């Protein structure tokens, strides 16, 4: 732990920030990644703060477990400052790709450290391509470069199919930026591990190019460069937010018509909760 202070620090901050989000919906809404919040209201802090929020304890624990599994060894090799640079480059890079792809979906909301975690994983792959990685429910491990290639292909399929609420775009963007950051900081890894890096980066860059320049090639029916009502990651969160907004609107309408003294105890409690008091 003493040799990896940034890994420990980021873990603690993520737990505190996520817990606050669990307890306070207003706090959660303020710091989550949201297209309108970023593009319309210029709340650029969401590009970073969203990486420290999570939707559930399972979401948080899974991300932190993966982060720790790769983060400690990587930080010990690259150093704390470089590790921090890789982390934030991955976090921002993942959110930038999500922002580009979903820029016409104003209500699109996402949370989680997955983009940054993917960046840490792929930085580790660049540095340790022969490292063995085990996966849940699979009784054997595979080389990290093979894991990286499989991850990229599965993520590309996830973006193309848009069949789940997983933020594949942030995963892919974070993974790519994490690997690029590691190469930029340690150019020698490109010479030493040229082939596995090329195998991973080439399909990633090619897909991103097609996704941005020629979405019709991918046969994506609801690709977000045109207006769409498609909601991706955290659809459940958006539904909860809409339901709560409807509830608070009803309370405010009642106050306007009959005054605040007309509220029931439950309505007053809900009003205080929504106001963050």
């Amino acid at each position: 732990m003493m040799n990896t202070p940034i890994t420990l620090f980021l873990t603690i901050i993520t737990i505190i920030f996520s817990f606050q989000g669990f307890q306070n919906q207003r706090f959660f809404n303020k710091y989550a990644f949201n297209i309108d919040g970023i593009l319309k209201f210029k709340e650029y802090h969401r590009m970073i703060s969203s990486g420290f929020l999570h939707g559930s304890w399972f979401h948080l624990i899974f991300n932190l477990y993966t982060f720790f599994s790769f983060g400690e060894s990587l930080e010990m090799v690259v150093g704390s400052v470089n590790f921090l640079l890789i982390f934030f480059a991955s976090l921002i890079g993942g959110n930038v790709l999500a922002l580009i792809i979903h820029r016409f979906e104003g209500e699109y909301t996402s949370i989680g450290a997955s983009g940054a975690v993917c960046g840490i994983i792929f930085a580790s792959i660049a540095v340790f391509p022969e490292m063995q990685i085990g996966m849940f429910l699979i009784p054997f491990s595979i080389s990290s470069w093979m894991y990286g290639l499989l991850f990229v292909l599965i993520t590309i399929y996830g973006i193309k199919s848009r069949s789940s609420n997983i933020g594949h775009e942030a995963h892919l963007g974070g993974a790519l930026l994490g690997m690029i950051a590691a190469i930029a900081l340690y150019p020698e890894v490109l010479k030493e591990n040229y082939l596995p890096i090329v195998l991973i980066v080439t399909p990633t860059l090619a897909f991103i190019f097609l996704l941005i320049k020629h979405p019709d090639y991918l046969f994506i029916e609801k690709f977000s460069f045109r207006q769409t009502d498609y909601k991706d990651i955290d659809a459940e969160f958006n539904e909860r937010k809409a339901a709560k907004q409807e509830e608070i609107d009803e309370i405010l309408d009642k106050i306007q018509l009959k005054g605040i003294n007309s509220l029931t105890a439950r309505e007053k409690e809900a009003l205080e909760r929504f106001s963050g008091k």
Side-chain angles (χ1 to χ4, degrees):
M1 291 290 186
M2 297 302 295
N3 295 325
T4 56
I6 297 301
T7 301
L8 179 60
F9 173 74
L10 290 173
T11 299
I12 293 172
I13 292 298
T14 301
I15 292 172
I16 294 172
F17 212 77
S18 293
F19 182 74
Q20 181 67 12
F22 295 157
Q23 301 298 312
N24 190 324
Q25 189 69 41
R26 188 176 182 182
F27 180 90
F28 190 100
N29 294 345
K30 181 178 180 180
Y31 293 108
F33 178 95
N34 176 265
I35 296 296
D36 273 351
I38 296 167
L39 295 182
K40 186 176 180 180
F41 299 106
K42 314 299 182 185
E43 297 169 346
Y44 300 121
H45 64 271
R46 294 175 181 269
M47 296 288 288
I48 295 177
S49 61
S50 59
F52 296 92
L53 287 172
H54 289 80
S56 66
W57 281 108
F58 176 81
H59 187 199
L60 173 63
I61 292 170
F62 180 82
N63 270 346
L64 290 183
Y65 172 79
T66 307
F67 177 64
F68 244 94
S69 298
F70 291 88
E72 284 194 301
S73 57
L74 183 64
E75 184 179 354
M76 290 180 68
V77 171
V78 304
S80 296
V81 174
N82 288 340
F83 181 82
L84 199 62
L85 290 174
I86 293 171
F87 179 89
F88 281 105
S90 305
L91 174 58
I92 295 171
N95 280 339
V96 166
L97 184 58
L99 189 67
I100 291 171
I101 292 175
H102 296 284
R103 67 179 184 267
F104 292 128
E105 301 174 42
E107 294 185 2
Y108 178 90
T109 300
S110 68
I111 49 170
S114 299
V117 172
C118 288
I120 295 300
I121 294 173
F122 274 68
S124 300
I125 292 172
V127 177
F128 314 114
E130 295 302 325
M131 173 180 59
Q132 296 294 302
I133 296 180
M135 293 179 285
F136 291 116
L137 303 179
I138 297 179
F140 57 87
S141 58
I142 60 176
S143 297
S144 64
W145 70 267
M146 187 178 297
Y147 170 88
L149 182 58
L150 288 173
F151 178 91
V152 166
L153 296 177
I154 292 171
T155 302
I156 287 174
Y157 173 79
I159 295 174
K160 183 179 182 297
S161 64
R162 307 192 74 174
S163 59
S164 72
N165 291 328
I166 298 174
H168 294 290
E169 302 87 356
H171 295 177
L172 188 65
L176 178 63
L177 263 293
M179 180 165 279
I180 290 175
I183 295 170
L185 293 169
Y186 297 94
E188 61 271 17
V189 303
L190 184 58
K191 295 180 181 179
E192 297 171 1
N193 308 317
Y194 175 81
L195 184 58
I197 290 174
V198 169
L199 285 173
I200 293 170
V201 171
T202 300
T204 305
L205 290 176
F207 179 76
I208 291 175
F209 176 80
L210 285 174
L211 195 62
I212 294 174
K213 295 294 184 180
H214 304 287
D216 51 306
Y217 291 171
L218 302 175
F219 304 105
I220 299 177
E221 294 181 359
K222 293 185 176 181
F223 188 76
S224 62
F225 280 98
R226 61 177 182 267
Q227 194 69 26
T228 174
D229 60 358
Y230 180 85
K231 295 180 182 178
D232 194 357
I233 193 169
D234 293 321
E236 292 183 1
F237 161 70
N238 285 327
E239 290 174 2
R240 292 197 307 270
K241 183 172 70 171
K244 290 180 179 180
Q245 185 61 50
E246 183 178 353
E247 182 181 357
I248 194 64
D249 287 344
E250 291 177 357
I251 293 174
L252 293 175
D253 288 342
K254 186 175 182 180
I255 293 174
Q256 186 176 9
L257 291 173
K258 300 180 180 180
I260 195 168
N261 292 330
S262 66
L263 297 182
T264 65
R266 188 193 66 80
E267 289 171 335
K268 289 179 180 179
E269 181 182 348
L271 184 63
E272 290 181 359
R273 185 172 67 253
F274 286 124
S275 65
K277 295 180 180 179

